[in-house]
Amino acid sequence: SLPAVLTRHVTVVVPQRAAMPSEFIKLKHADGRISSFQALPATRKHGHGARVTFAIMDEVARQDYAADIYTAINPAASRGKAKLLMISTANGVSNAETGEGNFFHHLYATKEEKQLSFRFLPWNLEPSRDEAWYLKEAMALDEVARNQQYPLNESDAFMLSGMTFFNSEALEHYRKNVKLPLFRGQFVAAGRRS
C-alpha cells in the first residue's frame, strides 16, 4: 500500500499486496534495476557493516542512540557516492567542550570541523504559513514546544527548544552580547594536604 507517487514508474516487488508488513521495500524499475529500502529501529546494534547508497536518520535529536548509529553507519555512508541524510527538529543543545547532551546539536555545532553540510528550514519556508498562521497555530504551544516545532532561526531551534533553567529572554540578550573573559586559568592547590 505504497502511495501512488512512489509506484508510478516502478513495480513493487516487496511487500506484495495484502502481505504482512515488512521492514523491506523492493522496487523494480523499467530497466530491470532493483531499489531496496530497509527500515531499521534506532538501537545501538543497527547500522554496523551495512552497504548503503543512501541512509536517512529521522528525528535524530530524539534518538537515544543517535551517536552510536551515526558512528556505525557513517563508514558505510562515506564510501563513494553514498549519502547520509539526518533530519530532525531541535531538542536542546550539547556541551560545546565535551559533546555531551543532544547529539544532533553536537553535529550542528561541529559541522565545519567535520565538513558536514547543513540546511536550516524555518517555519515560514512553507508557503501556506504566514504571520496569521503563526499567531494562531504556533503561539498555541508553550515556548519550548514552539521552538522545537516552528523555529524561525537556528538559535531559536537549539537554544530555546530544551528545558532551560534561565529565562529565555535573558539567554538571548547574553547570546547577542558576549564579552571575552579578561583572564583564563586554573586553580592549583597550594601548601600541604592533611
Side-chain angles (χ1 to χ4, degrees), residues 91-93 142 144-145 148 158-166 171:
N91 190 20
V93 296
D142 65 64
V144 171
Q148 287 176 347
F158 290 111
M159 291 299 294
L160 303 179
S161 66
M163 299 306 288
T164 57
F165 180 78
F166 298 101
L171 289 174

Side-chain angles (χ1 to χ4, degrees), residues 107-123:
L107 289 176
Y108 164 78
T110 58
K111 63 186 178 289
E112 285 89 12
E113 172 188 326
K114 295 181 185 322
Q115 298 180 341
L116 300 173
S117 297
F118 173 82
R119 171 124 189 231
F120 174 75
L121 306 175
W123 68 265

Side-chain angles (χ1 to χ4, degrees), residues 170-184:
L171 289 174
E172 184 65 18
H173 168 77
Y174 290 116
R175 186 183 66 78
K176 290 178 179 176
N177 298 291
V178 173
K179 294 184 179 179
L180 297 175
L182 298 176
F183 302 99
R184 286 184 183 256

Side-chain angles (χ1 to χ4, degrees), residues 60-61 66 86-90 102-109 118 158:
V60 179
M86 301 172 78
I87 306 166
S88 194
T89 50
N102 190 283
F103 183 68
F104 184 67
H105 177 263
H106 174 68
L107 289 176
Y108 164 78
F118 173 82
F158 290 111

